[in-house]
């Protein structure tokens, strides 16, 4: 199975100057754990700066930052490991394990076309026919 088979094609974006609250609201509204952050100061309007995850927001708020005033940019992971749609899921899982993160931005060339999460990979690998409650114990 390939990354393209597991990834979400919904790529939510915020600008680096957008607030953490805006990013959190987008993630909450769409039930996802990450947004792609675009560089607000770049000439190319779609230049990817990095990724902001729910964990990044949690750390910022936990350290006393005001999510309604704090911009996303300083909390963005800019050294992002990206995947290609044709990667095997095993390769994506290995990259996540090695890097200690749960999301990969999927690029087609330089354009983000999806995000694959650890949860997406697990859904693909979970035995079919087992319900969520069956997995708890």
């Amino acid at each position: 199975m390939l990354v393209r088979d597991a990834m979400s094609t919904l790529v939510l974006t915020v600008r680096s100057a957008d607030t953490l609250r805006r990013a959190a609201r987008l993630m909450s509204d769409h039930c996802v754990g990450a947004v792609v952050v675009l560089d607000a100061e770049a000439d190319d309007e779609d230049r990817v700066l990095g990724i902001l995850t729910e964990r990044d927001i949690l750390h910022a708020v936990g350290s006393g930052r005001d999510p309604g005033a704090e911009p996303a940019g300083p909390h963005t992971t800019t050294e992002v490991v990206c995947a290609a749609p044709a990667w095997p899921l095993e390769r994506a899982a290995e990259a996540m394990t090695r890097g200690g993160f749960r999301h990969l931005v999927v690029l087609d060339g330089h354009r983000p076309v999806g995000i694959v999460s650890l949860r997406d990979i697990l859904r693909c690998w979970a035995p079919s026919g087992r319900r969520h409650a069956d997995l708890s114990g």
Side-chain angles (χ1 to χ4, degrees):
M1 190 166 273
L2 303 177
V3 166
R4 74 169 53 95
D5 302 320
M7 73 181 193
S8 168
T9 56
L10 174 65
V11 181
L12 299 175
T13 62
V14 297
R15 298 280 179 200
S16 58
D18 287 338
T19 65
L20 293 175
R21 175 164 291 137
R22 182 175 190 292
R25 186 172 297 125
L26 269 175
M27 286 187 247
S28 178
D29 288 349
H30 294 279
C31 298
V32 299
V35 293
V36 173
V37 180
L38 303 176
D39 190 348
E41 298 183 20
D43 291 335
D44 178 2
E45 287 185 16
D46 292 327
R47 183 167 162 251
V48 173
L49 178 66
I51 190 169
L52 181 75
T53 68
E54 58 197 356
R55 187 180 291 175
D56 297 325
I57 294 171
L58 180 66
H59 287 300
V61 172
S63 68
R65 304 289 187 202
D66 175 2
E70 185 71 18
H75 306 282
T76 299
T77 301
T78 56
E79 293 183 24
V80 179
V81 175
C82 297
W87 276 19
L89 284 184
E90 291 83 0
R91 183 173 176 188
E94 287 171 10
M96 289 179 188
T97 301
R98 204 172 30 257
F101 46 82
R102 298 179 290 174
H103 300 87
L104 288 172
V105 177
V106 182
L107 297 178
D108 185 5
H110 294 289
R111 187 175 57 93
V113 294
I115 293 183
V116 65
S117 70
L118 187 54
R119 181 175 289 159
D120 295 329
I121 293 171
L122 289 174
R123 279 189 192 123
C124 290
W125 288 347
S128 61
R130 292 189 67 188
R131 295 190 337 230
H132 178 72
D134 295 336
L135 300 176
S136 63

